[in-house]
């Protein structure tokens, strides 16, 4: 059954702040094998003009995806979470995420469409710091594949 | 501005240094822990095959992170990345052996966007096992 298109434009309350830690950034940088010292060495980050170590560009997804779970699991929307795959991802940065940030995410459903039996949902996650200043916006396209299809590249977490 | 590449020194067509990033099952386990994405399709072959995949596959966000390294290694300052987006077209299949898979990334300046902001659009390509694994992989980067 197609999803209710009236959900387009709906916003969810901001998430509880996520505190970005230096060691979490280090762990993530090591996991992607990236030795850029801006991720682990505060002095190296300072030489680039940053007040503390910064996170790799895709780090913030862990926070925005969790926030998008509010949408994905909204019983009123009725998405079959077991069929959800990750279609597209885009980030627009005002500044990099850095250690010490307290980030909260406000998720908005940008659009809900049916395409060839798949349900396509675009979710925008606006990430703000503790001062209310914009850090990054994550644009996530989720595809709930029609029943007979095998799952694609990404699935539920 | 702390990017080490000057806007004046690039033109449309300028190629970024290409790179290849290996990924093994151990890489995926580590990434799962760091990212919090514990979907078993990224570490459990039995589960992956049960849902119709050829084998365990890499997290799409892992591939996106590796492709970004071509940008951040080029500019030096990761903060130079203003915008970055990809489409997940095909999975990176990671066999259970000591070699794993290889994600091969190239990038090139597609256009100079704004002389004042010193921004360029970079188009990226990412391949694994001869297959294109990311589509529409593009970034806007602010140069020195």
């Amino acid at each position: 059954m197609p999803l209710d298109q009236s959900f387009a434009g709906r916003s969810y309350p901001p998430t509880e702040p996520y505190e970005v830690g230096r060691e979490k950034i280090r762990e993530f940088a090591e996991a992607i094998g990236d030795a850029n010292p801006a991720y682990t060495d505060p002095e190296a980050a300072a030489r680039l003009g940053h007040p503390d170590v910064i996170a790799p560009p895709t780090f913030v997804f862990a926070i925005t995806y969790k926030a998008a779970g509010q949408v994905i699991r909204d019983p009123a929307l009725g998405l079959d979470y077991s069929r959800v795959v990750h279609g597209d991802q885009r980030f627009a940065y005002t500044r990099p995420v850095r250690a010490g940030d307290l980030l909260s995410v406000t998720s908005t459903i940008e659009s809900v469409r049916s395409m060839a039996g798949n349900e396509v949902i675009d979710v925008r996650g606006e990430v703000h710091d503790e001062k209310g200043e914009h850090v990054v916006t994550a644009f996530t396209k989720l595809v709930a594949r029609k029943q007979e299809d095998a799952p694609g590249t990404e699935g539920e977490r | 501005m702390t990017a080490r590449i000057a806007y004046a020194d690039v033109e449309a067509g300028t190629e970024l240094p290409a790179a290849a990033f290996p990924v093994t099952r151990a890489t995926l386990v580590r990434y799962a822990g760091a990212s919090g994405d514990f979907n078993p399709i990224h570490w459990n072959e039995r589960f992956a095959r049960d849902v119709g995949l050829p084998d365990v596959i890499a997290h799409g966000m892992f591939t996106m992170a590796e492709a970004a390294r071509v940008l951040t290694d080029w500019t030096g300052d990761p903060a130079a990345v203003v915008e970055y987006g990809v489409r997940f077209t095909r999975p990176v299949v990671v066999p259970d052996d000591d070699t794993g898979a290889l994600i091969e990334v190239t990038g090139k300046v597609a256009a100079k966007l704004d002389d004042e902001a010193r921004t360029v659009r970079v188009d990226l390509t990412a391949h694994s096992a001869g297959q294109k694994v990311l589509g529409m992989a593009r970034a806007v980067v602010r140069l020195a």
Side-chain angles (χ1 to χ4, degrees), chain B residues 4 10 28 31 43 50 60 63 81 96-97 109 116 126 139:
Chain B
R4 61 175 169 230
V10 304
L28 296 183
Y31 183 80
W43 51 268
D50 275 357
T63 306
V81 181
D96 182 19
D97 58 27
V109 175
E116 205 164 312

Side-chain angles (χ1 to χ4, degrees), chain A residues 3 5 7-12 68 71-72 77 79 84-90 106-115 119-125 137-144, chain B residues 86-87:
Chain A
L3 294 176
Q5 308 221 344
F7 273 74
R10 180 171 302 206
S11 279
Y12 292 75
V71 178
I72 297 165
L77 180 63
L79 189 63
V84 170
V85 298
H86 195 183
D88 290 31
Q89 183 60 45
R90 185 163 65 86
T106 305
S107 297
T108 301
I109 298 178
E110 290 209 304
S111 70
V112 180
R113 286 169 293 143
S114 292
M115 286 177 70
E119 306 289 348
V120 182
I121 300 166
D122 285 291
V123 180
R124 185 179 82 245
T137 300
F139 300 88
T140 304
K141 188 185 293 295
L142 299 170
V143 182
Chain B
V86 306
R87 177 165 296 167

